[in-house]
Amino acid sequence: MKARPYSKWISRLFILSMTMLGLTGMFQMPLAKRYALTTVPGLAWTGDFFLVHKLHYLFAALLLFVVAVAAVNWLLEWHTRLTLTRLGVVRVTILAGILISGGLRVYRNLPGVTLHPDAVMTIEWVHLCLAMAMGVAALVALIRKGSAYAKWK
């Protein structure tokens, strides 16, 4: 049996960043206060929008690092010995959409940037729907016990 096609730390950092991005993304909506999560000892921070927003950016930076490492490794080495699985193609496509829509959300939040309200709403909904689609894709991968993005050629 061949070894893992890529390092475990890449997978673990990806899972950590995506999990925390999902949580901090939901906490930016008033879900933590609405469902009294902020009253649980040690979780009052979940209701602090600005802290949660900064954490979301921090984990987004971690995700960008992981994606950059994976992309560079793919271009330099992995593409000759690995191929993306069908589920891997779906997940990479969803991830690209999340990164693009997330970048648009960062741009929209810059001082002096004003976008049409329809554009803002479209960016928000696309980002949310893609995040939900990634969650569904991750669940499918877990259920099928085939969470690998890539396999040996």
Side-chain angles (χ1 to χ4, degrees):
M1 180 166 171
K2 291 186 178 183
R4 289 176 61 95
Y6 39 84
S7 175
K8 277 187 177 183
W9 73 266
I10 291 175
S11 297
R12 289 181 179 153
L13 282 178
F14 179 76
I15 291 168
L16 171 70
S17 63
M18 291 300 287
T19 300
M20 292 308 294
L21 283 166
L23 289 172
T24 57
M26 287 188 292
F27 292 157
Q28 287 183 59
M29 299 181 276
L31 295 179
K33 286 183 183 178
R34 181 178 298 146
Y35 296 109
L37 189 60
T38 57
T39 62
V40 176
L43 293 180
W45 64 270
T46 61
D48 182 350
F49 173 81
F50 295 106
L51 173 63
V52 170
H53 187 72
K54 285 180 171 64
L55 287 173
H56 197 73
Y57 276 13
L58 176 73
F59 286 107
L62 176 62
L63 177 64
L64 286 172
F65 169 75
V66 171
V67 168
V69 167
V72 167
N73 279 319
W74 181 267
L75 292 172
L76 294 180
E77 180 184 353
W78 294 346
H79 76 281
T80 59
R81 54 189 183 112
L82 298 173
T83 184
L84 286 176
T85 63
R86 277 188 285 152
L87 190 55
V89 171
V90 168
R91 292 163 77 187
V92 166
T93 303
I94 294 170
L95 182 59
I98 289 171
L99 293 175
I100 291 167
S101 62
L104 289 172
R105 292 193 74 217
V106 169
Y107 172 72
R108 177 197 60 114
N109 287 331
L110 291 174
V113 174
T114 304
L115 299 177
H116 190 276
D118 291 341
V120 171
M121 192 60 64
T122 300
I123 292 166
E124 300 291 333
W125 279 102
V126 165
H127 194 67
L128 177 61
C129 290
L130 287 171
M132 291 171 35
M134 182 60 94
V136 169
L139 286 174
V140 168
L142 283 175
I143 291 168
R144 292 178 60 197
K145 293 184 176 40
S147 63
Y149 275 74
K151 61 183 179 184
W152 296 103
K153 285 187 177 180

